Amino acid sequence: MKNIIKFNLIAGFATILLLTSCNKNKKMMDSLADYNIAMETTGYHFGDKLQLPKEVTENAKSITISFMQGESSSLAIDPKFFSLGDNKVVFVIKAKNGETFNQDATINVFTKGKEKNGVYQIVADYPHNPDNFIEGFLLEGNTVYESDGLEKESQLIKYTLGSTVPSVVRKQPDDVFSEGCTIVGDKVYQLTYRNKIGFVYNKNTLEKLSEFPLPNVIGEGWGLTYDGKNLVATDGSKYLYFLDVNMPSKVVKTVGVAGNAEIYEHLNELEYHKGFIYANIWHKPVIIKIDPMTGEVVEKYDFTKLTDENNQGDSEHVLNGIAFKGDNMLLTGKNWTKIYEVAIK
């Protein structure tokens, strides 16, 4: 009888210990989830360290953050692992009782400095063919190179700024949806939307020289520019993809783009100018100025007035063309009737 009582007491204590341990673990993981959700809006900056709740630190034997590119136990916001913007991670918690728990989280990283509001003045305007669903836009000398989209209507054209009549037209096959374009030396590089290929043309004749598969990481082709060393592409996400100009299927590096309190998704048409990348945000009347080394947005230009004057009530007629004429910016949009030259102040 005494043995039975002793056994029941031991079993009872074990159950209490187990329940206590389970409650501690649940409280630990709940507090971690609450903390991560609360910090998504506030975000972090590079160099910050995660200050996890004491329910986690006091009950965890070890804490590791797992990324696609590795894992870290320092709990520091290190650019080796994090990019600007949203970072999908997994917390791996080894509790003191030996159990291991995983919890998904999003860690938002913002810039310390706030992006400036850019000031500009319209100094000239030029005609633009409103039939053109513009996707890529650049100027060399006085010659405009324009990539126009839509299936069965896609084309790459050249024309003189001030004219709407192209001097050279390269029509695309019906199943191709053309996207961003840029010039490298005597060649024009052009992306496609969902065809997963890019084209290379002779700059003078627009004769197609070759094509290349887009890197697997790029789901869709959107914008394209050249920084003097690499091609830089967008795919509608927050990322700038730097591609080897001699092997465009190879990604050299990837940079996330964000500001002081905003993650800039839907990066679209691009233009490189004097050390910075200018990008428009799809379906927003803004152009942002990006430091390509860090992805930090340093300036933001609001072109709401011009967009409202040119979209003709069609939400698809968005701002979508950036080029430079000297230090002045040229901008236009899908099916717009004008190209605007603006002096940036």
Side-chain angles (χ1 to χ4, degrees), residues 76-91:
I77 305 301
D78 186 339
K80 179 180 178 181
F81 298 105
F82 293 90
S83 69
L84 283 175
D86 55 329
N87 296 263
K88 307 299 182 184
V89 304
V90 179
F91 281 88

Side-chain angles (χ1 to χ4, degrees), residues 4 8 74 105 111 132 153 207 220 230-231 235 244 259-260 274-275 290 318 320:
I4 293 174
N8 287 338
S74 73
T111 63
N132 294 352
E153 297 181 28
E207 175 190 359
E220 299 174 347
N230 297 304
L231 297 169
D235 66 349
D244 186 330
N260 180 252
K274 291 192 171 180
I290 307 164
V318 295
N320 202 51

Side-chain angles (χ1 to χ4, degrees), residues 203-236:
K203 183 179 73 175
N204 298 315
T205 64
L206 300 189
E207 175 190 359
K208 192 176 86 169
L209 303 175
S210 61
E211 58 185 64
F212 56 90
L214 296 187
N216 289 333
V217 70
I218 296 180
E220 299 174 347
W222 284 42
L224 189 67
T225 191
Y226 178 60
D227 68 0
K229 182 180 179 181
N230 297 304
L231 297 169
V232 186
T234 56
D235 66 349

Side-chain angles (χ1 to χ4, degrees), residues 231-278:
L231 297 169
V232 186
T234 56
D235 66 349
S237 67
K238 68 166 186 175
Y239 291 111
L240 297 173
Y241 299 96
F242 292 74
L243 311 180
D244 186 330
V245 70
N246 297 312
M247 193 184 301
S249 301
K250 177 184 176 183
V251 177
V252 177
K253 66 175 180 177
T254 302
V255 175
V257 175
N260 180 252
E262 184 175 354
I263 301 167
Y264 289 94
E265 301 276 357
H266 298 140
L267 299 178
N268 199 358
E269 222 270 305
L270 303 176
E271 186 71 17
Y272 180 84
H273 181 67
K274 291 192 171 180
F276 292 93
I277 290 177
Y278 293 77

Side-chain angles (χ1 to χ4, degrees), residues 67-109:
F67 312 81
M68 285 185 65
Q69 61 269 51
E71 61 180 30
S72 171
S73 58
S74 73
L75 302 185
I77 305 301
D78 186 339
K80 179 180 178 181
F81 298 105
F82 293 90
S83 69
L84 283 175
D86 55 329
N87 296 263
K88 307 299 182 184
V89 304
V90 179
F91 281 88
V92 181
I93 310 290
K94 290 187 178 179
K96 288 182 178 179
N97 68 355
E99 291 186 83
T100 299
F101 303 89
N102 293 344
Q103 188 175 100
D104 295 336
T106 298
I107 293 179
N108 290 330
V109 182

Side-chain angles (χ1 to χ4, degrees), residues 121-181:
Q121 179 183 1
I122 299 172
V123 296
D125 62 64
Y126 310 90
H128 179 256
N129 189 338
D131 292 334
N132 294 352
F133 196 78
I134 190 168
E135 298 288 358
F137 181 67
L138 59 117
L139 182 75
E140 186 179 76
N142 205 37
T143 301
V144 176
Y145 292 78
E146 180 173 314
S147 175
D148 300 317
L150 299 178
E151 291 181 354
K152 300 183 180 180
E153 297 181 28
S154 287
Q155 60 183 0
L156 179 66
I157 60 175
K158 290 172 59 174
Y159 57 90
T160 301
L161 182 64
S163 171
T164 59
V165 180
S167 57
V168 185
V169 177
R170 175 61 55 185
K171 290 286 187 180
Q172 303 286 24
D174 285 352
D175 65 334
V176 168
F177 192 126
S178 296
E179 283 283 349
C181 65

